[in-house]
Amino acid sequence: MDLTEMTAWISSLFLVPALAGCLYALLAAVLAGRFAARKAPALAADAPRPGVTILKPLCGAEPDLFENLETFCRQSYAGPVQIVFGVQNATDPAIAVVERLRAAYPSVRLDLVVDASQHGSNRKVSNLINMSARIAQETVVLADSDMTVRPDYLERVVAELSRPGVTGVTCLYHGEPAERGLCAQLSALAIDVGFVPNVLVGTSLGLAKPCFGSTIAMTRESLEKIGGFRAFKDDLADDYMIGEALRRDGGIVAIPTFTIGHACVDTELSGLWRHELRWNRTIRNVDPAGYAGSFVTHAFPLALIAALLPGAGNAALAVAALALACRVLLCLRIERAFGLAPHAYWLLPIRDMLSFINFTWSFVSGAVTWKGHDYRVVADGTLIPEHGLGHETGATSV
């Protein structure tokens, strides 16, 4: 076998998973429509609404923080609502944002916990442990600071949680570029044509049981039953582990048929790369076999590699074109199913190549960066800080 024949053979090896990726994209498009068309549960108009405590761990004044948090203050929910914000540094600029919210929404109960106590290697969970003493209501909703929601968010989440057998609720999310910059749009595309389809296929086929930091809703009793937040103080994938704990003894973590917004604020490629590498390594640690199998979802890059090899022939170019067409179709279907704004479709090939490179690099090491802190991830998903975290104490509740 000469060199040309060998490269042609290698090209054909890349085309097989590329074609499988095309079928995957079409399947995801079908499942997106079915998922969004499901009938959502609703609370009776005259039924009492349980009180809700929303937990918002904060770290720094990230872009559009006020606008993101404000959407949680504007809920059309008939029951009592408390929002607890938590920071670990008395000089954190997020405190000023909370004070602005208090001035803008004096009728909403907004509590602030400032506590530097560190309970484990996961700083977000340490923040939650510090905040948990202020929980005043029977339903607890944890939501990341970069999420935006519609006014009916709490009503719909509580309705899902009220279903028989449901012990937790988590939410799909879509990307919302904070600006029209290239990196923000690429970040939103990664969520809408990468994350969302993978979740829909995984859950529909029974291959995945996810739980996301976008929303984790549970009763206060359930939180106590799983050991509180302290049980997850050293976990990288704390959201996933909380979901696993809520599923014990046959519990269900429900996913409603709507999506909430994830603010995409990256303005530089380096920041976008680090964020996505952390996501990928988290998924790799949670489900290594499934993550490796997601190789086939990178249909366009695989077909393009096949087409660029000597002796590949026109068939490889045709598969590359088919793969890109399937990705555009999937993007259109996701937008229609969840009522999302149209994307810049010309960015899809760039987005797919970047995703493939990041996917490949995620196998190189277990290092991750979160909020400026570097960690190593060991085999069981535990975070090991590169530098000591310390165990400062000193709490202030405001």
PDB file of all heavy atoms in Angstrom, residues 14-22 299-300 302-304 306-307 313-326:
ATOM      1  N   PHE A  14     -12.253   8.449   9.033  1.00  0.00           N
ATOM      2  CA  PHE A  14     -12.827   9.671   9.588  1.00  0.00           C
ATOM      3  C   PHE A  14     -14.266   9.884   9.103  1.00  0.00           C
ATOM      4  O   PHE A  14     -15.084  10.480   9.806  1.00  0.00           O
ATOM      5  CB  PHE A  14     -11.975  10.883   9.208  1.00  0.00           C
ATOM      6  CG  PHE A  14     -10.781  11.094  10.102  1.00  0.00           C
ATOM      7  CD1 PHE A  14      -9.531  10.608   9.740  1.00  0.00           C
ATOM      8  CD2 PHE A  14     -10.916  11.775  11.306  1.00  0.00           C
ATOM      9  CE1 PHE A  14      -8.434  10.799  10.567  1.00  0.00           C
ATOM     10  CE2 PHE A  14      -9.823  11.970  12.133  1.00  0.00           C
ATOM     11  CZ  PHE A  14      -8.574  11.479  11.763  1.00  0.00           C
ATOM     12  N   LEU A  15     -14.558   9.411   7.896  1.00  0.00           N
ATOM     13  CA  LEU A  15     -15.890   9.646   7.335  1.00  0.00           C
ATOM     14  C   LEU A  15     -16.976   8.840   8.039  1.00  0.00           C
ATOM     15  O   LEU A  15     -18.129   9.269   8.107  1.00  0.00           O
ATOM     16  CB  LEU A  15     -15.896   9.308   5.840  1.00  0.00           C
ATOM     17  CG  LEU A  15     -15.117  10.261   4.937  1.00  0.00           C
ATOM     18  CD1 LEU A  15     -15.221   9.821   3.488  1.00  0.00           C
ATOM     19  CD2 LEU A  15     -15.618  11.687   5.097  1.00  0.00           C
ATOM     20  N   VAL A  16     -16.622   7.694   8.597  1.00  0.00           N
ATOM     21  CA  VAL A  16     -17.632   6.864   9.280  1.00  0.00           C
ATOM     22  C   VAL A  16     -18.216   7.597  10.488  1.00  0.00           C
ATOM     23  O   VAL A  16     -19.438   7.745  10.594  1.00  0.00           O
ATOM     24  CB  VAL A  16     -17.031   5.502   9.685  1.00  0.00           C
ATOM     25  CG1 VAL A  16     -18.012   4.729  10.557  1.00  0.00           C
ATOM     26  CG2 VAL A  16     -16.670   4.691   8.441  1.00  0.00           C
ATOM     27  N   PRO A  17     -17.391   8.092  11.446  1.00  0.00           N
ATOM     28  CA  PRO A  17     -17.980   8.841  12.556  1.00  0.00           C
ATOM     29  C   PRO A  17     -18.602  10.158  12.108  1.00  0.00           C
ATOM     30  O   PRO A  17     -19.542  10.648  12.739  1.00  0.00           O
ATOM     31  CB  PRO A  17     -16.796   9.070  13.502  1.00  0.00           C
ATOM     32  CG  PRO A  17     -15.584   8.922  12.668  1.00  0.00           C
ATOM     33  CD  PRO A  17     -15.931   7.914  11.623  1.00  0.00           C
ATOM     34  N   ALA A  18     -18.094  10.749  11.009  1.00  0.00           N
ATOM     35  CA  ALA A  18     -18.690  11.988  10.503  1.00  0.00           C
ATOM     36  C   ALA A  18     -20.123  11.743  10.044  1.00  0.00           C
ATOM     37  O   ALA A  18     -21.033  12.545  10.320  1.00  0.00           O
ATOM     38  CB  ALA A  18     -17.850  12.552   9.364  1.00  0.00           C
ATOM     39  N   LEU A  19     -20.349  10.638   9.337  1.00  0.00           N
ATOM     40  CA  LEU A  19     -21.703  10.296   8.902  1.00  0.00           C
ATOM     41  C   LEU A  19     -22.596   9.979  10.103  1.00  0.00           C
ATOM     42  O   LEU A  19     -23.771  10.349  10.138  1.00  0.00           O
ATOM     43  CB  LEU A  19     -21.659   9.109   7.939  1.00  0.00           C
ATOM     44  CG  LEU A  19     -21.130   9.423   6.537  1.00  0.00           C
ATOM     45  CD1 LEU A  19     -20.889   8.132   5.758  1.00  0.00           C
ATOM     46  CD2 LEU A  19     -22.115  10.324   5.782  1.00  0.00           C
ATOM     47  N   ALA A  20     -22.006   9.302  11.101  1.00  0.00           N
ATOM     48  CA  ALA A  20     -22.768   9.045  12.325  1.00  0.00           C
ATOM     49  C   ALA A  20     -23.144  10.362  12.996  1.00  0.00           C
ATOM     50  O   ALA A  20     -24.236  10.509  13.547  1.00  0.00           O
ATOM     51  CB  ALA A  20     -21.944   8.175  13.274  1.00  0.00           C
ATOM     52  N   GLY A  21     -22.243  11.343  12.943  1.00  0.00           N
ATOM     53  CA  GLY A  21     -22.529  12.654  13.512  1.00  0.00           C
ATOM     54  C   GLY A  21     -23.653  13.366  12.794  1.00  0.00           C
ATOM     55  O   GLY A  21     -24.431  14.111  13.417  1.00  0.00           O
ATOM     56  N   CYS A  22     -23.763  13.172  11.491  1.00  0.00           N
ATOM     57  CA  CYS A  22     -24.881  13.755  10.732  1.00  0.00           C
ATOM     58  C   CYS A  22     -26.207  13.171  11.222  1.00  0.00           C
ATOM     59  O   CYS A  22     -27.192  13.908  11.422  1.00  0.00           O
ATOM     60  CB  CYS A  22     -24.705  13.491   9.244  1.00  0.00           C
ATOM     61  SG  CYS A  22     -23.305  14.358   8.490  1.00  0.00           S
ATOM     62  N   ALA A 299     -19.103  16.148  13.671  1.00  0.00           N
ATOM     63  CA  ALA A 299     -19.182  15.641  12.300  1.00  0.00           C
ATOM     64  C   ALA A 299     -18.426  16.514  11.305  1.00  0.00           C
ATOM     65  O   ALA A 299     -17.672  16.003  10.457  1.00  0.00           O
ATOM     66  CB  ALA A 299     -20.644  15.523  11.886  1.00  0.00           C
ATOM     67  N   PHE A 300     -18.609  17.816  11.367  1.00  0.00           N
ATOM     68  CA  PHE A 300     -17.966  18.681  10.367  1.00  0.00           C
ATOM     69  C   PHE A 300     -16.440  18.654  10.467  1.00  0.00           C
ATOM     70  O   PHE A 300     -15.763  18.477   9.443  1.00  0.00           O
ATOM     71  CB  PHE A 300     -18.501  20.110  10.480  1.00  0.00           C
ATOM     72  CG  PHE A 300     -17.811  21.069   9.560  1.00  0.00           C
ATOM     73  CD1 PHE A 300     -18.018  21.005   8.186  1.00  0.00           C
ATOM     74  CD2 PHE A 300     -16.936  22.034  10.052  1.00  0.00           C
ATOM     75  CE1 PHE A 300     -17.369  21.886   7.316  1.00  0.00           C
ATOM     76  CE2 PHE A 300     -16.278  22.912   9.196  1.00  0.00           C
ATOM     77  CZ  PHE A 300     -16.493  22.841   7.827  1.00  0.00           C
ATOM     78  N   LEU A 302     -14.502  16.298  11.597  1.00  0.00           N
ATOM     79  CA  LEU A 302     -14.042  14.973  11.173  1.00  0.00           C
ATOM     80  C   LEU A 302     -14.087  14.837   9.651  1.00  0.00           C
ATOM     81  O   LEU A 302     -13.154  14.320   9.029  1.00  0.00           O
ATOM     82  CB  LEU A 302     -14.903  13.890  11.828  1.00  0.00           C
ATOM     83  CG  LEU A 302     -14.766  13.748  13.348  1.00  0.00           C
ATOM     84  CD1 LEU A 302     -15.802  12.777  13.886  1.00  0.00           C
ATOM     85  CD2 LEU A 302     -13.355  13.279  13.715  1.00  0.00           C
ATOM     86  N   ALA A 303     -15.187  15.313   9.050  1.00  0.00           N
ATOM     87  CA  ALA A 303     -15.306  15.238   7.593  1.00  0.00           C
ATOM     88  C   ALA A 303     -14.295  16.153   6.909  1.00  0.00           C
ATOM     89  O   ALA A 303     -13.746  15.808   5.850  1.00  0.00           O
ATOM     90  CB  ALA A 303     -16.726  15.611   7.177  1.00  0.00           C
ATOM     91  N   LEU A 304     -14.027  17.300   7.514  1.00  0.00           N
ATOM     92  CA  LEU A 304     -13.060  18.230   6.923  1.00  0.00           C
ATOM     93  C   LEU A 304     -11.653  17.641   6.964  1.00  0.00           C
ATOM     94  O   LEU A 304     -10.893  17.765   5.992  1.00  0.00           O
ATOM     95  CB  LEU A 304     -13.104  19.564   7.673  1.00  0.00           C
ATOM     96  CG  LEU A 304     -12.298  20.708   7.059  1.00  0.00           C
ATOM     97  CD1 LEU A 304     -12.796  21.023   5.653  1.00  0.00           C
ATOM     98  CD2 LEU A 304     -12.372  21.952   7.942  1.00  0.00           C
ATOM     99  N   ALA A 306     -10.972  14.494   6.915  1.00  0.00           N
ATOM    100  CA  ALA A 306     -10.981  13.450   5.878  1.00  0.00           C
ATOM    101  C   ALA A 306     -10.810  14.044   4.490  1.00  0.00           C
ATOM    102  O   ALA A 306     -10.086  13.496   3.649  1.00  0.00           O
ATOM    103  CB  ALA A 306     -12.288  12.662   5.963  1.00  0.00           C
ATOM    104  N   ALA A 307     -11.457  15.187   4.241  1.00  0.00           N
ATOM    105  CA  ALA A 307     -11.396  15.804   2.914  1.00  0.00           C
ATOM    106  C   ALA A 307     -10.018  16.383   2.602  1.00  0.00           C
ATOM    107  O   ALA A 307      -9.627  16.461   1.431  1.00  0.00           O
ATOM    108  CB  ALA A 307     -12.455  16.907   2.814  1.00  0.00           C
ATOM    109  N   GLY A 313     -10.776  12.279  -2.258  1.00  0.00           N
ATOM    110  CA  GLY A 313     -11.834  12.248  -3.249  1.00  0.00           C
ATOM    111  C   GLY A 313     -12.973  13.199  -2.905  1.00  0.00           C
ATOM    112  O   GLY A 313     -13.034  13.799  -1.820  1.00  0.00           O
ATOM    113  N   ASN A 314     -13.913  13.320  -3.842  1.00  0.00           N
ATOM    114  CA  ASN A 314     -15.037  14.245  -3.688  1.00  0.00           C
ATOM    115  C   ASN A 314     -16.046  13.790  -2.636  1.00  0.00           C
ATOM    116  O   ASN A 314     -16.808  14.604  -2.108  1.00  0.00           O
ATOM    117  CB  ASN A 314     -15.750  14.432  -5.029  1.00  0.00           C
ATOM    118  CG  ASN A 314     -14.876  15.136  -6.048  1.00  0.00           C
ATOM    119  OD1 ASN A 314     -14.017  15.939  -5.672  1.00  0.00           O
ATOM    120  ND2 ASN A 314     -15.090  14.843  -7.323  1.00  0.00           N
ATOM    121  N   ALA A 315     -16.059  12.510  -2.326  1.00  0.00           N
ATOM    122  CA  ALA A 315     -17.018  12.001  -1.345  1.00  0.00           C
ATOM    123  C   ALA A 315     -16.805  12.650   0.017  1.00  0.00           C
ATOM    124  O   ALA A 315     -17.756  12.980   0.731  1.00  0.00           O
ATOM    125  CB  ALA A 315     -16.901  10.486  -1.235  1.00  0.00           C
ATOM    126  N   ALA A 316     -15.551  12.869   0.389  1.00  0.00           N
ATOM    127  CA  ALA A 316     -15.244  13.485   1.678  1.00  0.00           C
ATOM    128  C   ALA A 316     -15.749  14.919   1.723  1.00  0.00           C
ATOM    129  O   ALA A 316     -16.293  15.375   2.737  1.00  0.00           O
ATOM    130  CB  ALA A 316     -13.748  13.440   1.953  1.00  0.00           C
ATOM    131  N   LEU A 317     -15.589  15.657   0.621  1.00  0.00           N
ATOM    132  CA  LEU A 317     -16.112  17.027   0.561  1.00  0.00           C
ATOM    133  C   LEU A 317     -17.630  17.027   0.664  1.00  0.00           C
ATOM    134  O   LEU A 317     -18.222  17.907   1.307  1.00  0.00           O
ATOM    135  CB  LEU A 317     -15.673  17.701  -0.739  1.00  0.00           C
ATOM    136  CG  LEU A 317     -14.202  18.130  -0.826  1.00  0.00           C
ATOM    137  CD1 LEU A 317     -13.884  18.632  -2.230  1.00  0.00           C
ATOM    138  CD2 LEU A 317     -13.905  19.212   0.207  1.00  0.00           C
ATOM    139  N   ALA A 318     -18.262  16.054   0.045  1.00  0.00           N
ATOM    140  CA  ALA A 318     -19.725  15.959   0.107  1.00  0.00           C
ATOM    141  C   ALA A 318     -20.196  15.694   1.533  1.00  0.00           C
ATOM    142  O   ALA A 318     -21.191  16.278   1.985  1.00  0.00           O
ATOM    143  CB  ALA A 318     -20.216  14.852  -0.831  1.00  0.00           C
ATOM    144  N   VAL A 319     -19.472  14.832   2.261  1.00  0.00           N
ATOM    145  CA  VAL A 319     -19.840  14.548   3.652  1.00  0.00           C
ATOM    146  C   VAL A 319     -19.633  15.792   4.513  1.00  0.00           C
ATOM    147  O   VAL A 319     -20.439  16.088   5.406  1.00  0.00           O
ATOM    148  CB  VAL A 319     -19.025  13.367   4.200  1.00  0.00           C
ATOM    149  CG1 VAL A 319     -19.297  13.169   5.687  1.00  0.00           C
ATOM    150  CG2 VAL A 319     -19.372  12.089   3.442  1.00  0.00           C
ATOM    151  N   ALA A 320     -18.561  16.544   4.254  1.00  0.00           N
ATOM    152  CA  ALA A 320     -18.330  17.781   5.002  1.00  0.00           C
ATOM    153  C   ALA A 320     -19.466  18.770   4.783  1.00  0.00           C
ATOM    154  O   ALA A 320     -19.945  19.414   5.730  1.00  0.00           O
ATOM    155  CB  ALA A 320     -16.990  18.396   4.596  1.00  0.00           C
ATOM    156  N   ALA A 321     -19.910  18.902   3.535  1.00  0.00           N
ATOM    157  CA  ALA A 321     -21.029  19.798   3.231  1.00  0.00           C
ATOM    158  C   ALA A 321     -22.310  19.310   3.903  1.00  0.00           C
ATOM    159  O   ALA A 321     -23.096  20.107   4.439  1.00  0.00           O
ATOM    160  CB  ALA A 321     -21.219  19.897   1.721  1.00  0.00           C
ATOM    161  N   LEU A 322     -22.533  17.987   3.881  1.00  0.00           N
ATOM    162  CA  LEU A 322     -23.715  17.413   4.523  1.00  0.00           C
ATOM    163  C   LEU A 322     -23.679  17.659   6.026  1.00  0.00           C
ATOM    164  O   LEU A 322     -24.709  18.010   6.636  1.00  0.00           O
ATOM    165  CB  LEU A 322     -23.772  15.914   4.240  1.00  0.00           C
ATOM    166  CG  LEU A 322     -24.887  15.126   4.952  1.00  0.00           C
ATOM    167  CD1 LEU A 322     -26.261  15.622   4.489  1.00  0.00           C
ATOM    168  CD2 LEU A 322     -24.734  13.633   4.702  1.00  0.00           C
ATOM    169  N   ALA A 323     -22.506  17.485   6.629  1.00  0.00           N
ATOM    170  CA  ALA A 323     -22.369  17.698   8.071  1.00  0.00           C
ATOM    171  C   ALA A 323     -22.702  19.135   8.449  1.00  0.00           C
ATOM    172  O   ALA A 323     -23.403  19.389   9.433  1.00  0.00           O
ATOM    173  CB  ALA A 323     -20.957  17.334   8.522  1.00  0.00           C
ATOM    174  N   LEU A 324     -22.211  20.078   7.664  1.00  0.00           N
ATOM    175  CA  LEU A 324     -22.485  21.486   7.951  1.00  0.00           C
ATOM    176  C   LEU A 324     -23.966  21.800   7.772  1.00  0.00           C
ATOM    177  O   LEU A 324     -24.556  22.543   8.571  1.00  0.00           O
ATOM    178  CB  LEU A 324     -21.629  22.362   7.043  1.00  0.00           C
ATOM    179  CG  LEU A 324     -21.596  23.861   7.393  1.00  0.00           C
ATOM    180  CD1 LEU A 324     -21.148  24.076   8.833  1.00  0.00           C
ATOM    181  CD2 LEU A 324     -20.691  24.603   6.421  1.00  0.00           C
ATOM    182  N   ALA A 325     -24.576  21.217   6.739  1.00  0.00           N
ATOM    183  CA  ALA A 325     -26.010  21.429   6.518  1.00  0.00           C
ATOM    184  C   ALA A 325     -26.825  20.881   7.684  1.00  0.00           C
ATOM    185  O   ALA A 325     -27.811  21.502   8.120  1.00  0.00           O
ATOM    186  CB  ALA A 325     -26.426  20.763   5.206  1.00  0.00           C
ATOM    187  N   CYS A 326     -26.439  19.725   8.204  1.00  0.00           N
ATOM    188  CA  CYS A 326     -27.140  19.138   9.352  1.00  0.00           C
ATOM    189  C   CYS A 326     -27.003  20.013  10.588  1.00  0.00           C
ATOM    190  O   CYS A 326     -27.949  20.140  11.381  1.00  0.00           O
ATOM    191  CB  CYS A 326     -26.607  17.731   9.631  1.00  0.00           C
ATOM    192  SG  CYS A 326     -27.073  16.488   8.410  1.00  0.00           S
TER     193      CYS A 326
END
